[in-house]
């Protein structure tokens, strides 16, 4: 399932269709027969809460219920003219916003929290039905007869079921996606372990076996020790050389990793970006000092992301690199506008993303990577700041 507290740009990419529909509904509502300013403010509040609700769905649902009841009370006290309603006394904007929030809270929150949020939203809808002035009573010519309570209740249950079903569908899809990602990571880790095991068996075990055989021969025939010992020394040296080569291969990417310097993480990030040789548009906001392990990991994430762009992307005209911190965490964003190559310029082990994910998670952070809706590739990481 998707986490809450989405970054604002990601939220805008995800929520713009809903925002567009609600704005259109607001414009239609504003053209009605003199809807009260309190009615419009209440609708606007619910629409705004629905758009930002993926950041904190439970809180947004509670705030929406409060705003709905408050606007209804205000309309009752002031005797304001309500706008045309679709269900009970809900306007089209309020109905759409509440359905969207119901789906989002079911998608992202735990079962008990989503249940509480749904109950509160329904209770607020029932309350406004009895509190808010009735549009159809005030304007009987606009509608043959006011809908009775039973049809309203049936339609409410149908719309609620539709919203909950939509949320459950996306919840299941998010779970499947997360399972697939974990399976891919596990498969890549398993493949890397198997490759290491083969190397150890085929290279190192060969020399170690020779050392054991010659040592046993020297034990069996002491007179041959002087002849066997040089062979054992040679085999040992060759085994050490092979092991160093193996370790060097496994740590090849680490050998080129940038090191944090005394000049500060911000300057180190700028240096990595300049050395990449790519059209980087850099944005750095890193107040204060950071632990060495965190600084090294941030630099490595930026470098590896830029390396992936160089290897896998065609037609890159801009690479956005943002490294920011609010004191509690460091956030890294590397996004390009290129097209994915069918084959990388150089050989690719396929473990770069896995390594970056493990690096971030090792420090208690999070990591995501994938194609951008507008084209290109995007890497995001967030690592908490700890001075332990």
């Amino acid at each position: 399932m998707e986490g809450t507290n989405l970054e604002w740009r990601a939220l805008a990419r995800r929520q713009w269709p809903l925002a567009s529909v609600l704005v259109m509904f607001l414009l239609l509502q504003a053209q009605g027969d003199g809807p009260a300013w309190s009615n419009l403010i209440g609708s606007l509040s619910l629409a705004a809460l629905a758009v930002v609700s993926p950041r904190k769905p439970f809180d947004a649902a509670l705030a929406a219920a409060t705003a709905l009841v408050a606007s209804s009370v205000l309309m009752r006290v002031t005797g304001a003219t309500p706008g045309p309603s679709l269900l009970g006394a809900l306007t089209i904007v309020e109905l759409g916003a509440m359905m969207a929030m119901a789906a989002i809270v079911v998608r992202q929150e735990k079962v008990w929290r989503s249940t509480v949020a749904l109950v509160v939203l329904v209770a607020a809808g029932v309350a406004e039905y009895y509190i808010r002035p009735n549009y159809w009573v005030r304007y009987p010519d606009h509608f043959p007869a006011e809908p009775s309570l039973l049809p309203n209740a049936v339609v409410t249950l149908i719309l609620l079921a539709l919203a909950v079903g939509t949320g459950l569908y996306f919840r299941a899809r998010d779970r499947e996606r997360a399972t697939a990602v974990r399976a891919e990571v596990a498969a890549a880790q398993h493949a890397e372990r198997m490759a290491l095991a083969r190397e150890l068996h085929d290279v190192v075990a060969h020399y170690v076996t020779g050392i054991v055989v010659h040592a046993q021969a020297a034990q069996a025939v002491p007179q041959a020790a002087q002849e066997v010992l040089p062979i054992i020394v040679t085999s040992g040296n060759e085994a050490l050389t092979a092991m160093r080569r193996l370790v060097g291969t496994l740590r090849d990417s680490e050998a080129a990793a940038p090191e944090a310097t005394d000049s500060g993480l911000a300057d180190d990030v700028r240096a990595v970006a300049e050395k990449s040789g790519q059209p980087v548009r850099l944005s750095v906001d890193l107040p204060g000092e950071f632990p060495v392990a965190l600084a090294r990991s941030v630099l490595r994430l930026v470098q590896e992301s830029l390396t992936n762009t160089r290897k896998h992307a065609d037609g890159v005209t801009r690479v956005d690199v943002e490294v920011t911190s609010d004191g509690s965490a460091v956030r890294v964003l590397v996004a390009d506008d290129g097209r994915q190559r069918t084959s990388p310029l150089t050989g690719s082990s396929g473990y770069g993303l896995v390594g970056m994910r493990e690096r971030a998670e090792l420090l208690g952070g999070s990591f995501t990577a994938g194609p951008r809706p507008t084209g290109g590739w995007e890497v995001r990481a967030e690592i908490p700041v700890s001075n332990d």
Side-chain angles (χ1 to χ4, degrees):
M1 291 175 291
E2 294 190 8
T4 55
N5 294 316
L6 292 175
E7 192 267 345
W8 286 109
R9 289 187 179 180
L11 180 69
R13 287 195 299 270
R14 171 172 159 177
Q15 292 293 89
W16 71 263
L18 175 62
S20 301
V21 171
L22 292 177
V23 167
M24 181 182 67
F25 287 166
L26 274 169
L27 293 176
L28 290 175
Q29 180 178 326
Q31 298 301 316
D33 293 332
W37 61 268
S38 54
N39 200 178
L40 289 175
I41 290 177
S43 297
L44 181 60
S45 300
L46 261 68
L49 287 168
V51 172
V52 302
S53 61
R55 288 179 61 87
K56 292 187 177 181
F58 185 76
D59 296 343
L62 298 184
T66 303
L68 183 62
V69 173
S71 66
S72 300
V73 171
L74 184 60
M75 291 180 67
R76 171 64 67 178
V77 171
T78 60
T81 302
S85 57
L86 292 182
L87 181 64
L90 288 175
T91 65
I92 184 173
V93 177
E94 293 168 338
L95 180 60
M98 290 184 70
M99 288 185 64
M101 277 187 282
I104 290 169
V105 77
V106 170
R107 177 183 185 180
Q108 295 184 208
E109 292 287 3
K110 296 179 180 179
V111 175
W112 73 267
R113 288 171 67 88
S114 61
T115 302
V116 171
L118 291 175
V119 170
V120 171
L121 287 174
V122 172
V126 173
E128 61 79 31
Y129 178 78
Y130 289 102
I131 297 173
R132 184 175 294 185
N134 194 307
Y135 175 81
W136 306 116
V137 172
R138 292 200 174 188
Y139 303 97
D141 296 337
H142 292 192
F143 203 76
E146 179 188 1
S148 63
L149 182 60
L150 180 58
N152 272 324
V154 172
V155 174
T156 299
L157 290 176
I158 293 174
L159 294 179
L160 180 62
L162 179 62
V164 172
T166 302
L168 290 175
Y169 166 76
F170 282 105
R171 185 185 186 96
R173 197 183 70 170
D174 293 341
R175 186 183 295 111
E176 291 175 0
R177 184 186 297 121
T179 301
V181 170
R182 287 194 296 268
E184 291 177 3
V185 171
Q189 292 172 333
H190 177 70
E192 192 168 8
R193 287 194 295 268
M194 293 302 295
L196 175 59
R198 284 193 297 270
E199 289 291 336
L200 288 172
H201 179 272
D202 296 341
V203 179
V204 179
H206 167 73
Y207 294 109
V208 174
T209 300
I211 292 172
V212 172
V213 170
H214 286 95
Q216 290 175 339
Q219 286 180 328
V221 185
Q223 295 81 2
Q226 294 301 320
E227 299 179 5
V228 172
L229 285 175
I231 299 176
I232 293 176
V233 172
T234 301
S235 296
N237 288 330
E238 291 176 348
L240 288 173
T241 301
M243 290 179 68
R244 292 191 184 100
R245 187 182 303 114
L246 175 60
V247 172
T249 300
L250 294 174
R251 295 178 60 86
D252 178 57
S253 59
E254 295 293 331
E259 290 293 331
T261 67
D262 294 334
S263 59
L265 180 55
D267 291 337
D268 293 338
V269 170
R270 293 188 184 94
V272 169
E274 291 172 359
K275 292 179 181 178
S276 69
Q278 298 185 68
V280 174
R281 189 176 69 173
L282 187 63
S283 175
V284 180
D285 183 12
L286 295 169
E289 298 182 356
F290 301 92
V292 175
L294 185 148
R296 186 185 299 115
S297 294
V298 168
L299 293 175
R300 184 58 180 151
L301 287 168
V302 173
Q303 184 195 50
E304 183 66 24
S305 299
L306 291 173
T307 299
N308 282 349
T309 297
R310 185 173 61 252
K311 285 184 178 180
H312 300 281
D314 264 331
V316 177
T317 61
R318 190 179 74 191
V319 183
D320 292 322
V321 178
E322 297 180 8
V323 185
T324 60
S325 175
D326 58 3
S328 63
V330 176
R331 297 172 182 84
V332 178
L333 166 65
V334 181
D336 64 68
D337 61 353
R339 303 180 304 275
Q340 186 173 3
R341 291 193 179 99
T342 54
S343 59
L345 285 179
T346 59
S348 176
S349 65
Y351 303 137
L353 294 178
V354 175
M356 286 192 282
R357 181 185 300 277
E358 291 180 340
R359 182 181 292 277
E361 293 179 350
L362 185 64
L363 295 176
S366 60
F367 175 87
T368 59
R372 305 170 67 191
T374 56
W377 187 265
E378 179 180 272
V379 171
R380 290 182 180 274
E382 181 173 337
I383 303 176
V385 176
S386 174
N387 295 315
D388 296 342

